[in-house]
């Protein structure tokens, strides 16, 4: 090789690193995929004359860069696919599972039930389901915080899962409510044994930050009938759970079709009652109150009556209780009192009227003002009105009850203690509250002439009332023998079927114009007192 050639190759070799670096600079944007065209254009302008070696080296770098770029792209895409797959799986898990307890959620439970009964053997298989609600969970949250509540939920969920058995599944429906699908091999007896184990297990103390949390559980059990649909079967399980809680909590109850029918019937009556109260379809009936000594008429007790368009006469024991539970009793009571006052304006002024106020209605703050408003609007003399209340109305707060009674008496209204003898604190009531009259409960009056124990109770009440200078009304007089016995004991007043059943307002005038001789056997004819 000549000296000139040697010099040329030496210069090429010496320039190779710089050429490699330069070509790497122009090919690097291909790898990072950023401004590759601009970089290549600037590089080409800087090197106007390229030799074959330079072109070969640049081509090699380009090939390496493109290969590396493809590799990085494929790895990035693979990681992106893996990430998306992971996110899809996570979303799928979250969509089917409760994030706190790890149990399947409501949606997944529905899917499980669909899968069970879509199996060809599913519809004929007997399966049982338990709806579970934690007892005393709210106090744990309130007293120890939500972290303690979460700990109680997780511990309870794990205990249920452990007791579910082979083939069983536990789901959290929300809040502190769970549902358990028992395994296909379990019969009713096995289900009950498992239910008892769950009750014992959940009731065990739950350690939390050095403290012991205490919750319990109630279970509603139902034999699943897929033909009735998921909504109906869950409603039945919920009804069974309600029965378990009503029975005292910490226990299980099976779905009872008869009890369910009664509950649904009660719900229908409640809906109809709301309409009846709004349209004032419930009306007052009146039962005579007489002087026992000579059977003179002194007034009437107002009794609510409801004639349902399809059910007929609904007993007051049913619709009054429903009115109390549904918050309608105040509106219903004032409606009946207003109608009774209007109708009583046509009676002789000497006749009084007794009106019963329920315990729920008595504690209402507006009771006194509402009664006063009715009396003012109707013009009924408050001195002719007696308000009857029971011991349960006043037992919780004698002081508040005394204030309300005094406010009513200030209007001129008399106050009677109803159902006397059936409560557990009658003497305390008499000592603390200013009553005008006692009413002996009908359970002691009916057949009193034949019941020695009832006679002792009635005689004791009459003696007590005499010492306190109180009138006494005996309700439930149904025979001449009972009337005769009470006359001998000098009881003040009486009422009952022996004198007359409750009658509508339009019959009062007729009763006042007749002697009622066929209604009062072996006694003087009924007449208006005075």
């Amino acid at each position: 090789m000549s000296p000139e050639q040697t010099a040329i190759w030496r210069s090429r070799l010496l320039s190779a690193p710089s050429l490699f670096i330069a070509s790497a600079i122009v090919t690097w944007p291909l790898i990072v995929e950023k401004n590759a065209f601009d970089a290549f254009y600037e590089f080409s302008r800087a090197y106007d004359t390229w030799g074959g070696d330079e072109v070969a080296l640049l081509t090699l770098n380009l090939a390496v860069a493109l290969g590396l770029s493809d590799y990085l792209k494929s790895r990035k895409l693979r990681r992106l696919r893996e990430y998306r797959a992971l996110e899809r799986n996570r979303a799928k898990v979250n969509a089917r599972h409760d994030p706190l307890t790890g149990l399947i959620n409501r949606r997944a439970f529905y899917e499980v039930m669909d899968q069970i009964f879509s199996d060809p053997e599913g519809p004929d298989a007997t399966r049982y389901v338990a709806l579970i609600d934690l007892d005393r969970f709210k106090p744990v949250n309130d007293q120890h915080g939500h972290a303690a509540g979460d700990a109680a939920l997780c511990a309870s969920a794990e205990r249920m899962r452990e007791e579910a058995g082979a083939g069983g599944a536990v789901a959290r429906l929300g809040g502190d409510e769970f549902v358990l699908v028992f395994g296909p091999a379990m019969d009713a007896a096995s289900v009950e044994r498992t239910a008892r184990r769950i009750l014992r297990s959940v009731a065990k103390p739950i350690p939390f930050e050095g403290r012991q949390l205490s919750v319990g559980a109630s279970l509603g059990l139902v034999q699943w009938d897929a033909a009735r649909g998921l909504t109906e079967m869950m409603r039945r399980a919920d009804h069974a759970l309600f029965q378990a809680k009503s029975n005292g909590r910490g226990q299980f109850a099976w779905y009872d079709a008869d009890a369910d029918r009664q509950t649904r019937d009660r719900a229908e009556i409640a809906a109809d009652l709301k309409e009846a109260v709004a349209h004032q379809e419930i009306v007052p009936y009146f039962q005579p109150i007489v002087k026992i000594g000579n059977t003179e008429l002194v007034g009437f007790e107002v009794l609510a009556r409801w004639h349902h368009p399809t059910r007929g006469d609904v007993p007051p024991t049913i619709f009054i209780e429903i009115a109390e539970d549904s918050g309608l009793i105040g509106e219903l009571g004032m409606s009946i009192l207003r109608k009774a006052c209007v109708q009583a304006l046509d009676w002789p002024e000497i006749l009084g009227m007794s009106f019963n106020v329920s315990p729920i209605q008595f504690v209402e703050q507006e009771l006194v003002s509402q009664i006063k408003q009715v009396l003012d609007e109707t013009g009924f003399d408050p001195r002719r009105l007696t308000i009857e209340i029971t011991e349960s109305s006043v037992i919780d707060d004698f002081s508040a009850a005394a204030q309300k009674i005094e406010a009513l008496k200030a209007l001129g209204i008399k106050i009677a203690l109803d159902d006397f003898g059936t409560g557990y604190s009658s003497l305390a009531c008499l000592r603390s509250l200013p009553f005008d009259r006692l009413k002996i409960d009908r359970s002691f009056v009916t057949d009193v002439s034949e019941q020695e124990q009832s006679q002792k109770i009635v005689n004791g009440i009459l003696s007590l009332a005499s010492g306190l200078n109180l009138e006494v009304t005996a309700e439930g007089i149904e025979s001449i023998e009972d009337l005769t016995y009470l006359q001998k004991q000098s009881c003040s007043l009486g009422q009952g079927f022996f004198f007359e059943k409750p009658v509508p307002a339009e019959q009062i005038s007729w009763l006042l114009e007749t002697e009622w001789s066929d209604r009062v056997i072996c006694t003087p004819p009924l007449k208006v007192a005075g």
Side-chain angles (χ1 to χ4, degrees):
M1 181 180 296
S2 64
E4 292 80 2
Q5 290 176 327
T6 301
I8 292 171
W9 278 105
R10 182 182 292 114
S11 65
R12 287 179 176 176
L13 290 173
L14 290 173
S15 64
S18 62
L19 180 61
F20 179 82
I21 294 172
S23 62
I25 291 173
V26 75
T27 55
W28 176 250
L30 293 174
I31 299 175
V32 299
E33 300 177 1
K34 183 177 181 182
N35 298 324
F37 179 80
D38 294 341
F40 183 80
Y41 176 74
E42 293 297 330
F43 179 79
S44 64
R45 287 177 57 85
Y47 294 88
D48 293 334
T49 57
W50 288 358
D53 294 334
E54 290 87 344
V55 172
L57 188 58
L58 178 60
T59 302
L60 177 62
N61 278 330
L62 286 172
V64 172
L66 290 173
L68 183 58
S69 176
D70 288 342
Y71 169 75
L72 293 176
K73 280 184 179 180
S74 63
R75 188 174 69 170
K76 183 178 180 181
L77 290 174
R78 184 172 63 253
R79 288 179 176 176
L80 182 60
R81 285 194 297 268
E82 291 174 352
Y83 174 77
R84 288 178 176 174
L86 182 63
E87 287 299 309
R88 282 195 298 269
N89 290 336
R90 184 180 293 113
K92 186 176 180 180
V93 170
N94 290 340
R96 291 176 50 83
H97 289 77
D98 172 50
L100 177 63
T101 63
L103 299 177
I104 61 174
N105 58 18
R106 182 187 297 269
R107 173 184 174 184
F109 164 69
Y110 292 162
E111 293 176 359
V112 167
M113 300 309 294
D114 287 339
Q115 291 172 2
I116 289 175
F117 293 103
S118 62
D119 185 355
E121 298 181 359
D124 297 327
T126 300
R127 298 293 290 262
Y128 298 92
V129 170
L131 191 60
I132 308 170
D133 193 68
L134 296 185
D135 299 330
R136 303 184 301 277
F137 175 72
K138 188 175 184 301
V140 169
N141 257 342
D142 294 343
Q143 296 174 15
H144 305 292
H146 290 287
D150 290 346
L153 288 172
C154 291
S156 299
E158 184 59 30
R159 294 173 183 182
M160 293 177 199
R161 183 159 39 196
E162 291 174 354
E163 300 293 348
V170 183
R172 183 187 178 198
L173 299 182
D176 61 343
E177 190 173 54
F178 302 81
V179 62
L180 188 157
V181 185
F182 293 93
M186 298 186 70
D187 57 14
S190 300
V191 166
E192 289 193 0
R193 287 195 294 271
T194 302
R196 292 189 182 94
R197 289 199 303 270
I198 290 174
L199 293 176
R200 289 194 298 269
S201 179
V202 174
K204 293 178 181 177
I206 300 170
F208 175 75
E209 296 182 352
R211 290 169 288 181
Q212 299 291 323
L213 306 178
S214 178
V215 297
S218 297
L219 282 77
L221 301 174
V222 63
Q223 180 175 333
W224 200 264
D225 184 355
R228 296 187 179 275
L230 181 65
T231 301
E232 171 61 17
M233 294 312 299
M234 288 301 294
R235 189 196 65 78
R236 293 187 175 197
D238 188 65
H239 181 268
L241 176 61
F242 175 79
Q243 289 298 121
K245 287 182 173 293
S246 299
N247 293 339
R249 301 176 182 269
Q251 53 189 293
F252 67 84
W254 285 94
Y255 168 73
D256 186 328
D258 291 336
D260 188 19
R261 278 193 294 270
Q262 293 176 8
T263 300
R264 298 180 75 172
D265 189 57
R266 182 183 175 91
E268 293 175 359
I269 293 176
D272 293 341
L273 179 63
K274 185 176 181 179
E275 293 294 321
V277 171
H279 294 91
Q280 299 188 3
E281 296 172 1
I282 301 176
V283 298
Y285 271 48
F286 303 88
Q287 186 173 37
I289 302 172
V290 303
K291 288 182 178 179
I292 284 189
N294 56 15
T295 66
E296 290 180 344
L297 181 65
V298 297
F300 295 88
E301 180 181 3
V302 181
L303 301 168
R305 293 293 183 265
W306 179 25
H307 183 79
H308 192 278
T310 58
R311 298 175 182 271
D313 292 329
V314 181
T317 52
I318 293 178
F319 73 79
I320 293 297
E321 181 179 334
I322 293 176
E324 291 177 336
D325 293 342
S326 59
L328 293 171
I329 190 63
E331 183 180 356
L332 172 60
M334 289 302 104
S335 173
I336 294 296
L337 179 60
R338 182 176 287 103
K339 289 182 179 180
C341 288
V342 170
Q343 292 160 349
L345 292 175
D346 295 332
W347 302 347
E349 292 185 359
I350 197 169
L351 295 181
M353 186 173 69
S354 294
F355 181 78
N356 190 283
V357 172
S358 83
I360 303 297
Q361 190 178 6
F362 183 78
V363 299
E364 293 180 354
Q365 295 292 332
E366 302 82 8
L367 176 67
V368 176
S369 61
Q370 289 175 344
I371 292 177
K372 183 178 184 303
Q373 181 179 356
V374 169
L375 295 174
D376 291 342
E377 290 176 354
T378 60
F380 188 76
D381 188 348
R383 294 172 297 180
R384 297 174 60 190
L385 179 63
T386 299
I387 295 294
E388 300 180 0
I389 60 176
T390 61
E391 291 176 75
S392 57
S393 302
V394 301
I395 189 61
D396 291 335
D397 192 339
F398 279 141
S399 177
Q403 293 179 8
K404 192 163 292 185
I405 290 174
E406 291 289 1
L408 291 170
K409 290 174 69 70
L411 297 176
I413 299 171
K414 299 181 183 66
I415 306 296
L417 181 60
D418 198 8
D419 299 335
F420 188 80
T422 60
Y424 56 86
S425 59
S426 299
L427 296 180
C429 287
L430 293 179
R431 182 186 61 187
S432 306
L433 302 173
F435 292 105
D436 300 294
R437 182 185 301 173
L438 302 181
K439 288 190 70 174
I440 306 176
D441 187 73
R442 67 177 59 252
S443 61
F444 303 119
V445 174
T446 302
D447 297 328
V448 66
S449 60
E450 301 175 2
Q451 303 291 333
E452 184 176 351
Q453 291 298 323
S454 294
Q455 291 175 9
K456 293 179 180 179
I457 293 173
V458 169
N459 292 344
I461 294 173
L462 291 173
S463 177
L464 176 64
S466 177
L468 295 174
N469 196 29
L470 297 174
E471 283 188 321
V472 177
T473 301
E475 61 176 341
I477 300 173
E478 298 185 1
S479 68
I480 184 61
E481 290 80 14
D482 294 340
L483 174 61
T484 301
Y485 179 84
L486 293 169
Q487 286 175 330
K488 291 179 180 179
Q489 304 305 319
S490 301
C491 183
S492 311
L493 305 171
Q495 65 184 96
F497 288 175
F498 176 73
F499 303 110
E500 184 64 58
K501 294 181 178 180
V503 296
E506 54 268 21
Q507 293 187 19
I508 298 297
S509 297
W510 177 81
L511 291 176
L512 295 176
E513 294 173 357
T514 62
E515 295 183 349
W516 289 1
S517 58
D518 58 336
R519 305 292 183 96
V520 185
I521 304 173
C522 299
T523 60
L526 191 65
K527 57 182 180 299
V528 178

